[in-house]
Amino acid sequence: MSVIYRTSDSEAVRRARPLSQVVAIGGGSGLPVVLAGLRRSLPADCGITAVVTAADDGGSSGTLREQYDVLPPGDIRNCLLALSRVAPEVSAALQYRFDGLPGPGHPVGNLLLAALEMVTPDEVTAIRLAAGLLRVEDVILPATTTRVQLVAELADGREVRGESTIPRSAAPIARLRVDPPGARAAHDVLRALERADAIILGPGSLYTSILAALVVPGILETVLATPATRIFVCNLMTEPGETDGYGVAAHVAALAAHGLPPEALDYVVVNTARIPAKALARHSVDGTAATPVQADFTSAGRPCVVSTDLLDDSLMVLHAHDKLGPLLARLALGRPEDHGEARPGVALTRGA
């Protein structure tokens, strides 16, 4: 395919250096796919840092957080397992969920992380110890070590508190913030962002994973200040209660509404593969009204839109790590011409 992309002189100089550090921000099911793909595609001496939302308050993570005052472990567990180098049976055991007790079942990995946090000096040390057990050589960090609650200001003027409550609010989301207002990004997070050669946002729940991390004071400001290549990977499907009716343009507009303007991004990555009817039916088995995200974003210059087949071959509606990882590695190096189609569009469509 023909490829058109822009690279300023300063970007060309910066990208001529070998990659040494890539940071991925988010949570949920999307961030582990990015991590697995990157680790298989980047040079062994290029480090990866995952910055994981710390606002989860549902399911097992929410219960452990409430009962033991620990950071929500679920997203951290999944990121560790995506980067682990242990026998498949060990990974399966850490994902094994004990059901039958009152409340949600707890995956073994969640219990391990909670226990480590309770016997170590701090949360980052606990995660580092878990990483050692799983032979993870990269770094997993919570966006903040403060016990934060996600707060959404809705389009109808209401305010809703709690990550698991926000998608049930039945109104469009206008703005997000974290409470308490004095929460700050973990020091190691800011240092990783400052040293990053590339920063990847998404895929993942736009508001309750990606923006939940970005709105932690200090993170967005550092993302904007760094000379790193900034890449946004758009979701495959809308999410009921969060992004109903959103196309790619509305996803980008939501980032802009929270202080990350389109021109601050270098690339917006969009899937072009048609999602099979069977996969759509399985994805909507719970009766939700999720639909494929429409590729309706265009830009007169920056960012470049990178469009290609990123769909997993299974019946699950997922990004394929073996497609996404190599593409992200090339974009981090400034080489979109090696894969798919990269193009500047015509005009930015704003609004959600």
Side-chain angles (χ1 to χ4, degrees), residues 235-254:
N235 291 336
L236 301 171
M237 301 283 289
T238 62
E239 291 195 68
E242 283 200 44
T243 57
D244 299 282
Y246 277 34
V248 177
H251 283 75
V252 174

Side-chain angles (χ1 to χ4, degrees), residues 13 29 57 100 130 133 139 166 207 228 243 328:
V13 171
S29 60
D57 63 2
L133 293 173
V139 179
I166 289 170
Y207 290 99
T243 57
L328 292 175

Side-chain angles (χ1 to χ4, degrees), residues 54-267:
D56 191 1
D57 63 2
S60 168
S61 289
T63 299
L64 292 171
R65 172 180 174 168
E66 180 179 358
Q67 291 181 346
Y68 301 106
D69 191 32
V70 295
L71 286 177
D75 287 350
I76 295 170
R77 177 194 87 240
N78 287 327
C79 289
L80 286 168
L81 290 173
L83 293 167
S84 67
R85 297 185 298 126
V86 294
E89 294 82 1
V90 175
S91 295
L94 291 171
Q95 294 286 41
Y96 187 85
R97 187 180 295 266
F98 284 99
D99 295 312
L101 299 173
H106 292 299
V108 172
N110 282 10
L111 297 174
L112 173 64
L113 283 165
L116 285 172
E117 185 174 332
M118 294 169 70
V119 300
T120 52
D122 57 73
E123 301 87 348
V124 173
T125 299
I127 298 169
R128 189 179 300 121
L129 285 171
L133 293 173
L134 294 171
R135 299 175 61 201
V136 173
E137 296 181 353
D138 296 298
V139 179
I140 313 294
L141 295 171
T144 179
T145 56
T146 304
R147 277 32 173 187
V148 294
Q149 187 175 50
L150 202 58
V151 182
E153 299 171 13
L154 305 181
D156 61 8
R158 289 183 294 138
E159 188 174 278
V160 177
R161 307 176 73 84
E163 176 267 346
S164 60
T165 305
I166 289 170
R168 302 196 300 269
S169 59
I173 301 166
R175 293 279 297 179
L176 282 184
R177 69 176 191 274
V178 292
D179 194 39
R184 291 292 180 269
H187 172 73
D188 288 348
V189 168
L190 300 182
R191 186 170 59 178
L193 290 169
E194 290 167 352
R195 297 178 176 179
D197 298 300
I199 297 171
I200 299 165
L201 308 171
S205 298
L206 178 62
Y207 290 99
T208 55
S209 289
I210 302 170
L211 283 167
L214 277 179
V215 299
V216 173
I219 291 184
L220 179 59
E221 297 86 344
T222 308
V223 168
L224 290 170
T226 178
T229 299
R230 292 180 282 265
I231 305 165
F232 172 59
V233 183
C234 195
N235 291 336
L236 301 171
M237 301 283 289
T238 62
E239 291 195 68
E242 283 200 44
T243 57
D244 299 282
Y246 277 34
V248 177
H251 283 75
V252 174
L255 295 176
H258 289 81
L260 185 63
E263 60 270 18
L265 298 170
D266 292 282
Y267 301 105

